[in-house]
Amino acid sequence: GTETNQGSLFGEDSDDALVMEPPLPKVEPWGQLEQLAKEKEVVGFYISGHPLDEYKLEIQHLCRNTLADLSDLKPLEGKEINVAGIVTDVQHRTSKTGKPFGTFLLEDYIGSFEFILFGEDYIKFKNYLSPNFFLLIKGRVQLRFNQPGNLEFKILKIDLLSELKEKAFSSIKLKVGASDVNLEFIDRIENIITNYPGKCSIEITVEDKNENMQVKMFSKTKKVAISTELMHDLNKLAGIECELK
């Protein structure tokens, strides 16, 4: 019989063939925001956090309302309110009469809301209409012009949350029971404060409920930067209450 050639595709014996794997392309690791966006795209929600987590404290401090509240404006009539979120969709368009206008979708922890900007408002705020911008929006709930009974959320001011982060807080107040104060406790508070240097003043109130007395102390030398990490470290201390101003 005739011998068949059992050589590989490459003309060598299969035992000797050396197949080189192509090198993987070098890519930058995803940033936090990009990773979260991909998670939402694939599974429909964020897995490893929320894009707004970086501004959670500021949002809690500056906003009493969520975007979901804007779906029913009646209880808010006549009020000025703040809402915050991440811009997830933007459209720059032109009306039938040739006038530019824009829409943008803002998303917070609970839901989303689509805003529409016309005329002067569009010109004034259009630079904020950009995907992945983190915004704080101040607006007034009022009657629409020439439309009795029809309410609108009129945008008065838009700020970037990153710009507000520095200015959101001016001080932190700590309240602690006299029975919890010992050398170890003082040491731990001092360490925490030293780890987060910043511009916010610190006020500590020591309270003795049995004697119905309290002593307020201000730190003259140390100031802190308010952050989620700082609050997390402080909240680990037993018997302490924190208030941001």
Side-chain angles (χ1 to χ4, degrees), residues 169-229:
F169 306 109
S170 59
S171 68
I172 181 166
K173 295 185 172 189
L174 307 175
K175 192 186 276 188
V176 61
S179 56
D180 292 308
V181 178
N182 54 32
L183 284 174
E184 187 200 348
F185 182 88
I186 292 165
D187 232 22
R188 287 183 70 186
I189 275 203
E190 200 159 4
N191 278 335
I192 292 168
I193 287 167
T194 309
N195 282 341
Y196 302 97
K199 297 175 184 171
C200 295
S201 59
I202 306 155
E203 178 188 307
I204 300 176
T205 302
V206 180
E207 199 172 40
D208 188 331
K209 286 184 176 160
N210 297 332
E211 300 287 333
N212 200 16
M213 281 174 63
Q214 53 176 229
V215 179
K216 281 188 183 180
M217 298 178 288
F218 298 91
S219 173
K220 289 180 181 173
T221 52
K222 304 228 171 176
K223 294 197 167 190
V224 289
I226 308 294
S227 68
T228 313
E229 293 78 18

Side-chain angles (χ1 to χ4, degrees), residues 9 40 46 57 66 78 89 91 94 109 112 121-122 124 132-133 142 147 174 194 199 214 244-245:
L9 276 172
K40 188 153 192 240
Y46 302 110
L57 289 174
T66 66
D89 187 53
Q91 305 286 329
T94 308
Y109 284 101
S112 59
D121 286 344
Y122 175 66
K124 187 175 173 184
N132 296 333
F133 269 27
Q142 60 186 33
Q147 293 184 36
L174 307 175
T194 309
K199 297 175 184 171
Q214 53 176 229
L244 297 170
K245 288 287 183 184

Side-chain angles (χ1 to χ4, degrees), residues 3 8 12-13 21-22 26 30 36-37 57 60-61 69 77 80 110 117 120 124-125 140 172 210:
E3 286 191 22
S8 75
E12 304 139 308
D13 287 342
E21 283 190 23
K26 282 187 178 175
W30 281 344
L36 291 169
L57 289 174
Q60 286 171 345
H61 185 65
D69 296 335
E77 187 173 351
E80 281 190 8
I110 293 170
L117 292 169
E120 285 180 15
K124 187 175 173 184
F125 297 122
R140 185 188 301 115
I172 181 166
N210 297 332

Side-chain angles (χ1 to χ4, degrees), residues 45-195:
F45 55 88
Y46 302 110
I47 298 167
S48 52
H50 191 285
L52 289 172
D53 285 347
E54 191 182 340
Y55 303 105
K56 198 170 189 174
L57 289 174
E58 287 76 18
I59 292 169
Q60 286 171 345
H61 185 65
L62 296 166
C63 302
R64 289 193 182 147
N65 294 89
T66 66
L67 291 167
D69 296 335
L70 299 183
S71 57
D72 179 17
L73 295 176
K74 193 75 190 137
L76 301 169
E77 187 173 351
K79 292 182 179 174
E80 281 190 8
I81 63 168
N82 290 337
V83 289
I86 177 174
V87 178
T88 54
D89 187 53
V90 174
Q91 305 286 329
H92 295 277
R93 302 166 72 177
T94 308
S95 70
K96 287 175 185 171
T97 54
K99 292 179 180 174
F101 72 98
T103 68
F104 67 101
L105 193 69
L106 199 69
E107 192 172 316
D108 64 13
Y109 284 101
I110 293 170
S112 59
F113 189 83
E114 186 175 57
F115 296 88
I116 304 175
L117 292 169
F118 299 101
E120 285 180 15
D121 286 344
Y122 175 66
I123 302 301
K124 187 175 173 184
F125 297 122
K126 70 176 180 179
N127 288 343
Y128 291 102
L129 274 59
S130 187
N132 296 333
F133 269 27
F134 297 93
L135 304 180
L136 179 89
I137 298 179
K138 181 180 186 175
R140 185 188 301 115
V141 178
Q142 60 186 33
L143 288 169
R144 283 186 191 277
F145 184 66
N146 275 344
Q147 293 184 36
N150 196 347
L151 293 169
E152 67 170 350
F153 177 73
K154 165 85 171 167
I155 295 179
L156 304 173
K157 193 168 189 280
I158 299 182
D159 285 295
L160 294 173
L161 279 168
S162 55
E163 296 287 312
L164 291 174
K165 203 168 172 63
E166 291 287 304
K167 308 175 226 169
F169 306 109
S170 59
S171 68
I172 181 166
K173 295 185 172 189
L174 307 175
K175 192 186 276 188
V176 61
S179 56
D180 292 308
V181 178
N182 54 32
L183 284 174
E184 187 200 348
F185 182 88
I186 292 165
D187 232 22
R188 287 183 70 186
I189 275 203
E190 200 159 4
N191 278 335
I192 292 168
I193 287 167
T194 309
N195 282 341

